[in-house]
Amino acid sequence: WANKVAGPSFTQGVAGNQPRVKTSILGGQPVVRFDGNDWLTGSAVLAANDDDYTYIVLWRPTANNIIQTPYEQAGPGNGARASLLAVNAAYGFNGQNNDKHDLVPFSANVWRLSEMEVNNAAGNNIRLYDNARPYVGATSAPGSLAVGTAGSTIGTKQQAIGSECLNGDAAEVLVY
C-alpha cells in the first residue's frame, strides 16, 4: 500500500500476515481487508517528537469486542507513540500511558471516516470527528503526545507488531 502523495510504502513480507485487496467494496473502489492477523509496516511519517498532528482513516471494523489498531506511529522501544485504537465498542487516541481511547462509541460493520486531531497545547487535546460528528477529550498527560520514529503500521501496533490487529477494512490512511 503506497501513499499517492510523497510518503512511505507499507508492506508485509510474511504471506500468512498479508491483508487482501478486495475490489469494488466501497463505492466501486478497492479496500485492504485485514482478518485480525494481518498488518502492514512502513517508515515513520511524522518527524521525531512531533506533538501536533492529524490522522485520517477511512475504515470499517467488522468486530467491536476486541482491541484493534487501524494506524500507529511509534518508537523506538516503549517510547513515544500515537495510535488510533479501538477497545471493544469505543475508539480514540492511544499513547504511551497517555490514552483517550474511549472517546467515540461505534458499531461493527459501519464505515467510519475518522479524523483525529492531536494538539499538545490544547486543554482538550484530542479532537476526533467520526463520520463528521465531533468528539473532544483530554488524555491523562496532555503535555506528552509526541511520536517516535521507529516506524508506522496499518492494522497493528507498531510497538508490539502482531498484536491488537485490525479486523476489518481500510480504504485510506492520511497523516499530517
Side-chain angles (χ1 to χ4, degrees), residues 83-174:
S83 66
L84 186 66
L85 180 76
V87 177
N88 298 321
Y91 77 96
F93 174 85
N94 193 70
Q96 190 61 33
N97 299 316
N98 189 22
D99 306 335
K100 190 60 181 166
H101 47 68
D102 59 352
L103 197 58
V104 181
F106 76 95
S107 298
N109 298 307
V110 175
W111 280 100
R112 320 224 68 83
L113 177 56
S114 303
E115 178 189 343
M116 182 174 71
E117 299 173 6
V118 177
N119 182 339
N120 205 22
N124 280 327
N125 56 344
I126 306 296
R127 286 183 300 200
L128 208 150
Y129 297 88
D130 177 73
N131 293 336
R133 184 175 175 186
Y135 295 84
V136 295
T139 62
S140 57
S144 178
L145 297 170
V147 295
T149 56
S152 297
T153 53
I154 301 171
T156 189
K157 291 181 71 165
Q158 164 61 32
Q159 299 233 300
I161 291 183
S163 68
E164 300 179 2
C165 293
L166 177 61
N167 196 329
D169 298 332
E172 188 135 19
V173 176
L174 302 170

Side-chain angles (χ1 to χ4, degrees), residues 47-112:
N49 300 315
D50 199 341
D51 62 2
D52 188 8
Y53 44 88
T54 301
Y55 293 170
I56 300 171
V57 181
L58 179 56
W59 62 302
R60 177 178 60 176
T62 55
N64 68 347
N65 59 347
I66 60 175
I67 299 173
Q68 49 191 330
T69 309
Y71 178 81
E72 179 172 78
Q73 178 172 323
N78 287 327
R81 65 187 178 93
S83 66
L84 186 66
L85 180 76
V87 177
N88 298 321
Y91 77 96
F93 174 85
N94 193 70
Q96 190 61 33
N97 299 316
N98 189 22
D99 306 335
K100 190 60 181 166
H101 47 68
D102 59 352
L103 197 58
V104 181
F106 76 95
S107 298
N109 298 307
V110 175
W111 280 100
R112 320 224 68 83

Side-chain angles (χ1 to χ4, degrees), residues 34-53:
F34 297 83
D35 69 6
N37 192 39
D38 303 330
W39 61 87
L40 299 169
T41 60
S43 60
V45 176
L46 301 168
N49 300 315
D50 199 341
D51 62 2
D52 188 8
Y53 44 88

